[in-house]
Structure formats: C-alpha cells, structure tokens
Amino acid sequence: MVTWGQGVGPPIHFADGRGARIAYQDFGQEQPVIVGVPPLAQNLELAFEAPIKRAMFERFASFARWIQFDKRGTGASDRRVRVPGIDERIDDLRAVMDAAEVDRAHLFGQSEGGPMAILFAATYPDRVQSLILFGTGPRSTRRYTEEQLPDVKGMLDQMADQWGTSDSMILPAFAPSAAQDPALSQWWPRYERNSADRDSLRELLDLNLEIDVTEVLDQVTVPTLVIHRVDDPIVPVALGR
C-alpha cells in the first residue's frame, strides 16, 4: 500500500557508480521487479509533486516492485560530473541493481532509455527477464545526413536555450495532451531546472545523436514488448519497428 504524503515520494537511496553516486528509488510489491531506465533528464524527488507522474508511479507500485534512477549528471544523482556515454550509463544501471540487491529484473526503457536497456540485455543477459520498450528503438533519434546536421544542431541549441523556461518545447512535444494542463505547464520549468542545467542538457542531446545499438540486436534473447505511438513526433514509429 502506498503511504507517501502529498507531493512526497519514497526515500532516495544512492548506488556507488564509478566516480559518482547514482540516486534511485525502490518501492512497491516484492515481485515482479521492474527497473525503469530513464529518458533524457529527470528528478526522482521532484517528480512526485506532479499528479500525472505520481499516478503512474502508484500504478506501478500496485502490482510490481518498481526501481527507478537518475542518470549521473542529472536529477538527484551527483551532478558535478560529466554526462556519461551509453557504456557508462549501463554500468550505472548495473550498480543500481547491485545496490538494490536485484539479480534479475524486467527493464522498462523509454525514449533514450531504450538503447540503454537493449545494450544492457545484450551485455548482461543473465540479469534481464524481459524488455519493455516504450517510444524507443535501438537508436534514440532518426539518422541524419551531413546536410541535415547543421539544422538539427540548431534545433538542439534552441531546446537547450529554452530548457527550464516557460518556452521549453519538451512537454508539448513529448506529452501534448498533458501540456494542456495549466498547473502542470506552470510546474514543468522548475522540474526541468532541477533535472539538468543547460550545458548538461546540451551534452546529453549531442550524445543521443550518436547512440546506436543496432549491432547488438541479434544478441538480445529475452522476451521483448515494443509499445509505440504511431504518430510519435519525436521518436518515429519506424525506429520501434
């Protein structure tokens, strides 16, 4: 039974990554165990202030043991460190599972967390029961030509400049219906500011352009569920297919 106070979530724990503490939460039932592999940047502690996020966490907690973490350099994890590449990120995922004393788990990867979950399953097959991939694929973005890259980089600059402001495009792009909620829209810039600073966000966006784990797909042997919006404007459904 969930007993958190209003706007307050479960306690934050820390796993010892290589050179940084990784913040994570661990709550819900005993089985099954699901580890949420995070997208872009979030803040576990602050997320419970938003009813829409809290409702999702409470739903997970009603039928599973739900473990989620903030990537190093973001959220409640150590932020005075460089933003990690994908290999270091999956090492941090392993550190979280070790700290939570979880031998095997189902991995839920969303957006940028999808390639992380896929690579982890290929690297540590004995620690993964299944994959749930939501709005993602082996790449976190579509492939761009050399001619397209300058325009893409300009768009990423704009996203970083607007991050944490009322002009941020993240909420309308990823959750257009939720963005119609005035209270959520007012709260969201504070959430972004507490999830990552501008420079870290820009570095994350650049790294995401390079992520591609297509080569390890044939090494993934666990059951995999792919969930994708056909009209997803950020991560095209073709990437999921």
Side-chain angles (χ1 to χ4, degrees):
M1 168 126 1
V2 175
T3 58
W4 313 311
Q6 184 65 33
V8 177
I12 299 288
H13 307 285
F14 290 96
D16 290 325
R18 296 180 183 178
R21 295 191 312 166
I22 312 303
Y24 73 95
Q25 290 172 321
D26 180 355
F27 55 91
Q29 311 302 312
E30 291 187 7
Q31 292 290 335
V33 181
I34 306 175
V35 179
V37 187
L40 201 58
Q42 61 180 15
N43 186 300
L44 297 179
E45 200 163 26
L46 202 62
F48 282 81
E49 294 182 5
I52 191 172
K53 286 182 170 288
R54 184 186 182 92
M56 179 180 69
F57 300 143
E58 289 176 345
R59 177 71 178 117
F60 277 121
S62 72
F63 67 86
R65 178 183 174 191
W66 176 256
I67 299 171
Q68 56 184 2
F69 65 99
D70 285 340
K71 295 195 298 289
R72 69 170 64 205
T74 69
S77 292
D78 287 352
R79 292 173 63 176
R80 296 186 67 181
V81 293
R82 65 175 181 80
V83 173
I86 190 168
D87 291 334
E88 196 169 16
R89 293 183 210 180
I90 68 163
D91 195 53
D92 288 344
L93 168 54
R94 182 188 55 79
V96 168
M97 290 178 64
D98 288 347
E101 299 182 345
V102 171
D103 292 327
R104 298 183 73 223
H106 305 275
L107 301 186
F108 181 95
Q110 180 181 359
S111 190
E112 165 194 342
M116 290 174 59
I118 292 169
L119 184 57
F120 190 91
T123 307
Y124 303 104
D126 58 328
R127 304 203 65 174
V128 181
Q129 289 181 267
S130 73
L131 293 177
I132 306 107
L133 305 176
F134 177 54
T136 188
R139 292 176 54 86
S140 56
T141 65
R142 42 171 79 85
R143 286 187 173 90
Y144 296 103
T145 65
E146 289 295 326
E147 292 74 19
Q148 291 172 320
L149 278 177
D151 289 339
V152 173
K153 296 276 189 177
M155 180 189 69
L156 298 184
D157 284 338
Q158 182 180 7
M159 288 177 67
D161 288 340
Q162 294 176 344
W163 178 261
T165 74
S166 59
D167 293 325
S168 175
M169 62 180 73
I170 299 297
L171 185 61
F174 283 91
S177 57
Q180 303 305 310
D181 181 343
L184 183 65
S185 294
Q186 185 176 15
W187 171 84
W188 192 264
R190 183 167 71 92
Y191 179 66
E192 288 187 350
R193 291 191 297 272
N194 282 275
S195 298
D197 60 32
R198 179 204 176 281
D199 291 342
S200 296
L201 189 278
R202 187 65 183 84
E203 191 173 356
L204 272 170
L205 293 171
D206 270 339
L207 287 169
N208 287 351
L209 286 177
E210 302 171 3
I211 292 177
D212 188 347
V213 298
T214 305
E215 292 183 356
V216 306
L217 286 178
D218 60 356
Q219 300 174 39
V220 176
T221 58
V222 298
T224 301
L225 172 65
V226 178
I227 308 170
H228 214 113
R229 288 171 50 200
V230 173
D231 58 349
D232 189 327
I234 304 300
V235 182
V237 68
L239 288 181
R241 294 189 173 120

